Amino acid sequence: MAKNSTKEKIKVSGNGTTIDGALKFNSGWDYSPAPESTGHIEIKEKYELFINGKFQKPVKGKYFPTHNPANEKKLSMIAEASVSDVDKAVKAARTAYNKVWSKIGLKERGKYIYRIARAMQEKAREFAVIETLDGGKAIRESRDIDIPLAAAHFFYYAGWADKLQYAFPGKDPQSLGVAGQIIPWNFPLLMAAWKIAPALAAGNTVIIKSAESTPLTLLKLAEVIQESGLPEGVVNIISGAGETGAAIVNHPDINKIAFTGSTGVGKIIQKAIAGTDKKVTLELGGKAANIIMDDAPIDQAVEGIINGIYFNQGHVCCAGSRLFVQEDVADLVIRKLKDRMETLIVGDPMDKNTDIGAINSKEQLNTINKYIKIGKSEGAGFYQSSCELPSKGYWCRPTLFLNVSQSHRISKEEIFGPVLAVQTFRTVEEVIEKANNTPYGLSAGVWTDKGAKIFNITSKLRAGVIWANTYNKFDPSSPFGGYKESGFGREGGLQGLGPYLNLK
Ligand code: NAI
Ligand code: MG
């Protein structure tokens, strides 16, 4: 099997020997590189802000670079929105709300949202390649998950635009006005779709800010929106870092803030809007428990563990970053897990064979490495796959910490990287207590053969989303969101539409 998929072909020369209990694969053959092409995309040297249907220069004339984390090369210069630009965008959104979007026929509203969904599908290959170049995620994921799901959310909410009354029977759903939205770097286009589509279907106008390391797919979306003929000012797309985000949060003429990102910034936002009548939804961090019972289908569970923590380099708020394995199958699960980790291909995100792409930024890599150091110093058993890493760019091998205890920082704090903390348990009661012993409550997974056990365990876990015998499955009609320090409010489904409406 392949060990790596950098541009050069790397031969694996092991002979079935065991590295710390893991089988080193002796393939004698390798996957040939299968790079996705870039001939069909255009990345401009410089991007402006998309305000009132036009690309506009930032008032202060400031720009910042965005890089490809897989090779550290600059991709483009991006306009940084200041307080004045945010104000311009909010004014455009307010005017569009008052004059057009709150008055337009509901079928018309739906028509535009469908149009954006179809354009996203038509340009899916462009979106996928740009997402991968800008953020470092494997092309297979941006192609098969991020982009199709983003389009699916637009399709799903387009369908509700003229059926709001039926969505909330007995209520009189009314739009809120202007929605200010702030998204992170881990799923840029998908997070934008989760926020823009329900806001528009509910009759609101939007100002949305991308994350500073991954602005490009939202700028591509701005082009799509411009081409769709959506009335100007209905969606305004801006870029910038924390200060720009704060300018959105603090703008007095915004009715609703939707934020996805770190718990730290979520707390700042909550303080900032306290005492105002802004509505808010916060989707914050997580430290999900993935629970393997001894009657689980072990091979599927191992795939679920891999998918849960190594998917998107572990840059996933619902990542199954705490693994709980019932004691009598622990050795078997860990052995199979190590074997499977050895087969994961880490490297060029543009290669279609790659499983694990680049870490999104140098800062994030530093954070992950800091936690790996902490885990080692806390005395947990350390294991990493033996793959080679490219010399340029930001990379992290799939990592395991074994014999972790509840007090270890690596089992309590969000790492946001491909690092799994493994604990064992004996009884259902014990694992529920351990799994719930966290300030977070976003997601969890349970693997068992028994339906009754699934119902018992899932009803006692304090997590917003719980998967049974699967992991990281998403659908536009299912709500997503957390408890406790993972935030509040839901995205997806009707539960994701409600927060964009006054429901009297
Ligand atoms: P962050 O929370 O700082 O950034 C998320 C978004 O908020 C970005 O668009 C950023 O520009 C904006 N922002 C930053 N400060 C702001 C402020 N004061 N007011 C308004 N907006 C502000 O997250 P960051 O630095 O990118 O990642 C740090 C950690 O956050 C990660 O290690 C991870 O633990 C967590 N995170 C969680 C995510 C999730 O999906 N729940 C996504 C991204 C990060
Ligand atoms: Mg970038």
Side-chain angles (χ1 to χ4, degrees):
M1 296 290 270
K3 304 292 299 294
N4 198 308
S5 75
T6 48
K7 283 267 154 53
E8 311 82 350
K9 225 165 108 170
I10 294 172
K11 279 267 177 195
V12 183
S13 54
N15 57 356
T17 48
T18 294
I19 325 158
D20 190 18
L23 187 73
K24 184 160 183 177
F25 283 82
N26 175 19
S27 57
W29 55 275
D30 205 340
Y31 288 114
S32 294
E36 173 63 89
S37 63
T38 53
H40 59 294
I41 61 149
E42 188 204 352
I43 294 182
K44 299 192 175 97
E45 268 176 37
K46 196 162 128 183
Y47 283 92
E48 311 296 351
L49 306 167
F50 183 65
I51 297 177
N52 208 24
K54 292 166 215 68
F55 287 92
Q56 306 197 15
K57 291 193 182 313
V59 172
K60 290 194 174 162
K62 274 199 180 169
Y63 293 82
F64 63 93
T66 187
H67 294 96
N68 176 348
N71 59 19
E72 301 171 48
K73 283 196 185 132
K74 188 177 89 183
L75 288 165
S76 182
M77 291 300 287
I78 311 294
E80 182 184 322
S82 62
V83 173
S84 328
D85 298 304
V86 168
D87 188 51
K88 266 170 76 176
V90 173
K91 285 200 170 105
R94 177 61 61 190
T95 306
Y97 177 75
N98 288 339
K99 297 206 166 143
V100 187
W101 202 243
S102 62
K103 299 206 171 112
I104 201 166
L106 299 185
K107 283 204 166 55
E108 263 314 271
R109 241 188 231 164
K111 181 189 83 180
Y112 284 112
I113 308 172
Y114 275 124
R115 209 181 266 176
I116 297 168
R118 280 197 304 272
M120 281 172 105
Q121 276 186 327
E122 279 159 22
K123 295 181 194 295
R125 272 191 71 208
E126 289 165 68
F127 274 114
V129 167
I130 296 172
E131 201 74 298
T132 284
L133 289 173
D134 203 13
K137 64 173 60 194
I139 186 71
R140 214 180 51 208
E141 278 167 12
S142 36
R143 183 195 66 197
D144 296 349
I145 296 165
D146 293 59
I147 312 306
L149 257 182
H153 276 80
F154 273 93
F155 276 115
Y156 173 78
Y157 283 112
W160 281 120
D162 62 347
K163 304 177 195 69
L164 296 178
Q165 237 106 11
Y166 306 99
F168 304 99
K171 309 267 185 195
D172 177 25
Q174 299 291 330
S175 54
L176 301 174
V178 176
Q181 308 179 325
I182 299 164
I183 58 166
W185 42 260
N186 54 346
F187 291 89
L189 190 70
L190 183 59
M191 291 301 102
W194 282 20
K195 288 183 167 50
I196 298 174
L200 295 186
N204 306 286
T205 56
V206 164
I207 164 174
I208 185 166
K209 185 191 88 63
S210 50
E212 47 273 39
S213 63
T214 53
L216 291 179
T217 42
L218 258 69
L219 290 158
K220 179 85 197 158
L221 178 65
E223 292 172 6
V224 161
I225 286 175
Q226 199 176 37
E227 286 161 20
S228 77
L230 184 77
E232 55 192 34
V234 173
V235 173
N236 302 277
I237 295 179
I238 62 166
S239 30
E243 270 180 46
T244 312
I248 296 178
V249 171
N250 295 319
H251 197 288
D253 199 29
I254 286 183
N255 304 95
K256 145 111 194 170
I257 298 290
F259 171 78
T260 300
S262 61
T263 297
V265 173
K267 287 180 180 172
I268 295 174
I269 291 177
Q270 225 177 344
K271 274 190 201 143
I273 63 165
T276 72
D277 60 2
K278 282 177 190 149
K279 286 194 177 227
V280 67
T281 40
L282 301 174
E283 205 272 273
L284 310 174
K287 192 76 186 173
N290 202 0
I291 300 171
I292 318 295
M293 305 302 298
D294 58 6
D295 59 357
I298 299 294
D299 289 332
Q300 285 96 316
V302 167
E303 279 311 301
I305 299 166
I306 295 277
N307 176 27
I309 185 64
Y310 302 129
F311 166 56
N312 200 27
Q313 299 78 246
H315 297 336
V316 187
C317 47
C318 52
S321 52
R322 289 183 300 151
L323 177 66
F324 293 95
V325 190
Q326 200 157 16
E327 222 169 69
D328 40 346
V329 290
D331 288 347
L332 178 66
V333 168
I334 299 305
R335 183 167 55 76
K336 285 187 179 245
L337 184 58
K338 285 178 174 175
D339 287 352
R340 182 67 178 94
M341 284 164 72
E342 275 300 307
T343 70
L344 291 174
I345 302 173
V346 182
D348 182 7
M350 288 289 281
D351 193 310
K352 292 168 197 153
N353 296 319
T354 293
D355 297 303
I356 300 185
I359 299 301
N360 185 269
S361 65
K362 196 173 188 172
E363 294 74 44
Q364 193 56 32
L365 181 59
N366 289 342
T367 305
I368 296 167
N369 285 336
K370 179 190 86 182
Y371 276 106
I372 289 179
K373 246 185 165 164
I374 291 172
K376 284 180 178 170
S377 69
E378 284 176 326
F382 171 73
Y383 176 83
Q384 272 187 331
S385 78
S386 63
C387 62
E388 307 198 19
L389 300 178
S391 54
K392 273 250 165 214
Y394 314 125
W395 309 96
C396 181
R397 293 188 177 90
T399 303
L400 271 188
F401 277 109
L402 299 164
N403 307 320
V404 173
S405 87
Q406 292 280 77
S407 61
H408 285 165
R409 282 181 68 189
I410 48 167
S411 78
K412 293 198 292 196
E413 297 171 24
E414 187 177 45
I415 301 174
F416 228 64
V419 180
L420 181 63
V422 185
Q423 303 179 52
T424 57
F425 66 93
R426 288 187 183 166
T427 65
V428 168
E429 293 68 36
E430 181 189 348
V431 76
I432 289 169
E433 198 188 316
K434 283 181 165 171
N436 284 338
N437 182 19
T438 163
Y440 295 110
L442 189 54
S443 59
V446 182
W447 298 79
T448 166
D449 196 31
K450 304 274 181 310
K453 251 187 228 177
I454 291 174
F455 286 119
N456 180 28
I457 296 172
T458 54
S459 64
K460 290 174 185 153
L461 287 175
R462 291 286 293 160
V465 181
I466 306 176
W467 289 287
N469 293 331
T470 185
Y471 208 91
N472 274 339
K473 277 265 183 305
F474 297 93
D475 186 277
S477 63
S478 305
F480 182 90
Y483 287 112
K484 301 195 276 186
E485 290 200 10
S486 293
F488 49 80
R490 295 290 178 263
E491 292 187 305
L494 285 179
Q495 292 85 345
L497 192 58
Y500 285 99
L501 290 162
N502 266 322
L503 291 172
K504 296 240 172 71

